Amino acid sequence: MSIRTSLVPAFAVACSAAFLPACSTSPTQPAAPPAAAVSQDDANASFRRHVDAVLEEMWKTFPEQAIRAGNYKYAGKLTVPDAERRAEAIAFYDRQLAALARIDVATLDASNRVDHGLMKSRFESRRWYLTTFRNWQWQPSTYNVGSEFGVILNTNFAPLDARLRLVIERLEKVPAYYAAAQASVADPTLEYTTLAIVQNRGALRGFGEDLQAKVAASGLTADEKALFATRVAAARVAIGDYLSFLGALEAKLKAGPARSFRIGKALYEQKFAYDIQSGFTVDSLHKRALAEKAALHDAMEVKARELWPRVMGGKPMPADRLVMIRAVLDQLSLKHTTREKFVETIRAQIPSLEKFVREKDLLDQDPTRPLLVRETPLYMRGVGAGASVSSPGPFDPKANTYYNVTPPEGLTDEQTESFLREYNDWTLQILNIHEAIPGHYLQLVHANKSPSVVKSLFGNGAMIEGWAVFSEKVMLDAGYDNFSPEIWLFWMKWNLRSVVNTILDIEIQTMGLEREAAMTMMTREAFQQDREATEKWLRATLSQVQLTSYFNGYAEITALRDELRAKQGAKFSVKGFNNRFLSYGSAPVRDIAKLMR
């Protein structure tokens, strides 16, 4: 369960490179709204002009962010992540925060007040990442040119020849980019070093024979093709040098000592505040998750007892309820697709989800916004997430949305069977609800139609992941799979994963939870297969806070829905709530709640 939006929105989510934007050397300062007293209409109009000016400067300053947002005006510019660039980025954020401070928020309407807050929070957050968190030093995987090249090559925003010329232009700076990367990396973790190797090998393959054949068959001139050949060769050497640097670094870190992947309580609480923007504190969310885990065990016991006679026959029922629940889940999990058909099985399920949402009238859809299922690109693999969505930004909303699926390749037969049991016939459907319909894909379709570009661009991960989890319950409440006890039991297990994600992340990063105890929690208390638990431990060493976003967002959206349903009574509409909630882009749930009230 992950989204690359996320801005991997493509918005995936939560992309380390997004925290290392580059700046122009001579940025223009957008004019702040006038200080004189004005009417609210004038103040709102002035603020919107300010937003437009800030965004235009942002695209010029941070072209990689622009590409992920669907703005290709500066797509030929590849920024070099050196010390000068970081200083310029900090100056950009300082300038924007000063301009926002001069705006009288009281003169703005509710929607613009939220946008003002989102911009302030985003610029403060990015500044904090550069100056305090400093992951540009200890996360070598931050440095990877593959993503934006992939967007340019795979998005039909211009004729292929024009896009290949952008590729040639960007290729010029790849050697300088990786030289700056090597100079920036200091005291990295072993886990991020290994990830950087995996993903940059994928990036290297992206500049291989397929791309070279595409250029050879294009309408580029002979001089352009020759320039491409020179620059792509230099880029491949630069990536190869970075891989050699990482390989030596990995060997040194394995010999020890190496920096811990745990960031500690103080940094964790700061990161949580910036990333999640929640009504919960870290401690209150942890307590809420522990209580929810116990409640889900109670509910799963009821369903497992109901299913036992049919699933387990005359076998005696264990006294330990967790063992009993696990036995039912394990037996049902034997029903699954095959390694060879895994991606195709997912692709084939999408139309039935669209049909169910349409027939139950749960949420508006848009058949003009395509969703394509594909195998996860190599430069995006290695983070322990088997599925994700890469969505176009609001400036190119009709571009393809990709549902990235990582098939169980390179695994032993035993590991493959463990993987397929985890994603059995029921869980695979829930995964598709979460990632595609009506989860991430539909949420991002709605976000790109929001009249507020700020609410779409500055997406909140807890809202995005929370909606995907919330949408699963919407489908089951509407009778998906005919209210079968099997789908409900597996949804509870799936929902328990979100809850345990929160517990794990907080306890691993701030309480020193060790691998063995974490594995026991996942396999015994969350009923996960060994393969899934192993991948989740890997993911927990490669992220901080993001794993809390699922349960945090789900809890806040559910509470808002319940509040409005109680107030509206018979007038409450599931579709009305869903459409209106998603109309506010990807703003934090607490801000959407203010607007919906």
Side-chain angles (χ1 to χ4, degrees):
M1 299 185 296
S2 82
I3 175 166
R4 306 182 79 84
T5 64
S6 313
L7 308 169
V8 209
F11 195 39
V13 183
C15 176
S16 296
F19 301 144
L20 192 63
C23 283
S24 63
T25 56
S26 56
T28 56
Q29 171 62 32
V38 293
S39 69
Q40 187 177 70
D41 285 348
D42 288 342
N44 286 323
S46 180
F47 177 71
R48 299 319 304 176
R49 289 194 296 273
H50 177 72
V51 169
D52 290 343
V54 170
L55 293 181
E56 177 58 29
E57 181 184 354
M58 196 167 78
W59 304 143
K60 184 178 180 180
T61 304
F62 308 139
E64 284 76 19
Q65 288 187 21
I67 291 170
R68 292 191 291 272
N71 182 318
Y72 309 106
K73 185 175 180 179
Y74 305 103
K77 179 183 177 184
L78 188 151
T79 53
V80 177
D82 55 17
E84 180 182 2
R85 192 66 70 181
R86 287 188 290 272
E88 291 168 345
I90 293 167
F92 171 87
Y93 297 134
D94 287 344
R95 212 165 43 249
Q96 303 310 329
L97 289 168
L100 289 171
R102 292 193 293 269
I103 297 172
D104 184 358
V105 181
T107 64
L108 304 178
D109 63 25
S111 180
N112 282 327
R113 285 199 299 272
V114 169
D115 284 3
H116 182 282
L118 287 174
M119 293 173 70
K120 180 175 182 291
S121 178
R122 176 55 62 93
F123 297 145
E124 288 176 342
S125 170
R126 294 303 181 254
R127 192 185 193 286
W128 177 85
Y129 270 96
L130 286 168
T131 61
T132 302
F133 198 58
R134 299 173 69 87
N135 55 321
W136 51 269
Q137 281 188 324
W138 51 273
Q139 293 182 7
S141 58
T142 297
Y143 306 103
N144 189 326
V145 298
S147 179
E148 286 73 36
F149 277 104
V151 173
I152 293 170
L153 289 168
N154 295 320
T155 307
N156 294 320
F157 61 87
L160 177 60
D161 287 355
R163 288 184 280 124
L164 289 175
R165 290 185 178 101
L166 292 174
V167 168
I168 293 173
E169 186 179 350
R170 289 181 66 82
L171 280 171
E172 181 183 14
K173 291 290 185 67
V174 171
Y177 177 98
Y178 280 104
Q182 288 195 40
S184 298
V185 171
D187 190 25
T189 73
L190 171 61
E191 293 78 10
Y192 275 111
T193 303
T194 301
L195 175 63
I197 292 171
V198 171
Q199 294 191 332
N200 275 283
R201 282 174 179 165
L204 184 61
R205 289 181 62 177
F207 296 112
E209 294 179 357
D210 289 347
L211 176 58
Q212 295 176 46
K214 187 176 292 186
V215 171
S218 72
L220 299 183
T221 66
D223 287 345
E224 287 173 325
K225 291 178 180 179
L227 182 59
F228 167 80
T230 299
R231 288 184 176 177
V232 80
R236 288 180 59 83
V237 169
I239 299 174
D241 287 346
Y242 189 55
L243 286 169
S244 297
F245 164 77
L246 293 172
L249 196 55
E250 182 184 44
K252 179 182 177 182
L253 295 172
K254 284 181 176 178
R259 180 192 184 111
S260 172
F261 64 83
R262 306 175 200 271
I263 64 173
K265 188 173 179 63
L267 280 176
Y268 189 93
E269 289 181 341
Q270 294 173 47
K271 193 173 191 294
F272 180 87
Y274 281 123
D275 290 1
I276 304 298
Q277 301 180 60
S278 168
F280 292 104
T281 64
V282 172
D283 288 342
S284 66
L285 184 65
H286 183 242
K287 291 176 182 177
R288 175 73 174 264
L290 290 171
E292 188 70 11
K293 181 178 71 168
L296 282 167
H297 284 167
D298 290 343
M300 293 180 77
E301 180 181 6
V302 173
K303 287 295 179 187
R305 287 184 181 277
E306 175 187 348
L307 285 164
W308 185 275
R310 174 153 53 88
V311 175
M312 305 302 293
K315 292 183 179 179
M317 187 179 295
D320 185 328
R321 69 172 184 169
L322 298 184
V323 174
M324 184 270 294
I325 295 168
R326 180 65 187 247
V328 175
L329 289 168
D330 283 350
Q331 186 64 32
L332 290 171
S333 295
L334 296 175
K335 294 184 178 180
H336 57 70
T337 187
T338 64
R339 182 204 311 250
E340 295 75 19
K341 295 181 179 179
F342 184 74
V343 176
E344 185 52 43
T345 300
I346 288 178
R347 185 178 288 114
Q349 286 180 4
I350 302 303
S352 65
L353 296 177
E354 294 172 332
K355 180 181 179 183
F356 185 86
V357 170
R358 184 168 57 250
E359 290 178 346
K360 297 295 182 179
D361 204 23
L362 300 177
L363 179 67
D364 284 342
Q365 300 184 74
D366 186 347
T368 69
R369 307 293 169 88
L371 174 67
L372 298 181
V373 178
R374 68 176 180 182
E375 292 194 15
T376 305
L378 295 175
Y379 58 79
M380 288 172 55
R381 299 190 187 187
V383 295
S388 66
V389 165
S390 297
S391 168
F395 296 103
D396 191 17
K398 292 187 178 181
N400 294 333
T401 297
Y402 292 102
Y403 180 2
N404 307 304
V405 180
T406 305
E409 296 176 343
L411 306 180
T412 65
D413 289 345
E414 182 181 3
Q415 289 172 332
T416 299
E417 180 63 17
S418 177
F419 176 89
L420 294 173
R421 288 185 184 185
E422 185 68 33
Y423 293 95
N424 56 70
D425 286 356
W426 292 278
T427 301
L428 203 56
Q429 295 178 73
I430 300 168
L431 172 69
N432 291 333
I433 292 171
H434 178 101
E435 297 290 347
I437 298 169
H440 287 318
Y441 158 66
L442 274 190
Q443 185 267 316
L444 292 165
V445 166
H446 280 256
N448 282 342
K449 296 181 179 182
S450 171
S452 165
V453 176
V454 170
K455 293 183 182 69
S456 297
L457 283 175
F458 298 164
N460 174 259
M463 180 274 174
I464 294 167
E465 293 295 359
W467 167 261
V469 178
F470 178 81
S471 74
E472 304 155 15
K473 186 70 160 39
V474 168
M475 294 286 276
L476 266 67
D477 284 342
Y480 186 77
D481 201 42
N482 297 316
F483 297 104
S484 73
E486 291 89 347
I487 197 73
W488 274 103
L489 182 64
F490 277 107
W491 174 80
M492 291 172 191
K493 175 190 170 182
W494 182 265
N495 194 242
L496 186 59
R497 181 192 296 192
S498 298
V499 173
V500 170
N501 279 351
T502 295
I503 299 169
L504 284 171
D505 198 60
I506 294 171
E507 294 189 1
I508 288 171
Q509 292 292 335
T510 72
M511 302 179 187
L513 183 69
E514 295 291 349
R515 186 182 189 279
E516 184 177 351
M519 292 291 290
T520 298
M521 185 188 302
M522 287 185 280
T523 55
R524 173 170 162 78
E525 299 183 56
F527 314 108
Q528 294 175 18
Q529 296 289 327
D530 288 340
R531 182 67 190 174
E532 176 66 24
T534 299
E535 290 293 307
K536 184 57 57 65
W537 172 260
L538 170 63
R539 185 171 170 188
T541 69
L542 293 170
S543 68
Q544 317 84 23
V545 173
Q546 195 273 336
L547 285 171
T548 70
S549 61
Y550 304 90
F551 178 59
N552 186 103
Y554 170 72
E556 291 193 307
I557 298 170
T558 300
L560 175 62
R561 189 272 316 274
D562 292 348
E563 173 193 334
L564 295 181
R565 184 164 56 188
K567 287 181 178 179
Q568 296 171 14
K571 295 182 180 180
F572 179 83
S573 160
V574 172
K575 182 179 183 179
F577 173 85
N578 292 340
N579 280 339
R580 190 177 175 208
F581 180 82
L582 296 184
S583 72
Y584 297 106
S586 301
V589 179
R590 66 185 183 188
D591 291 324
I592 295 177
K594 293 175 185 176
L595 296 171
M596 290 187 71
R597 291 179 182 125

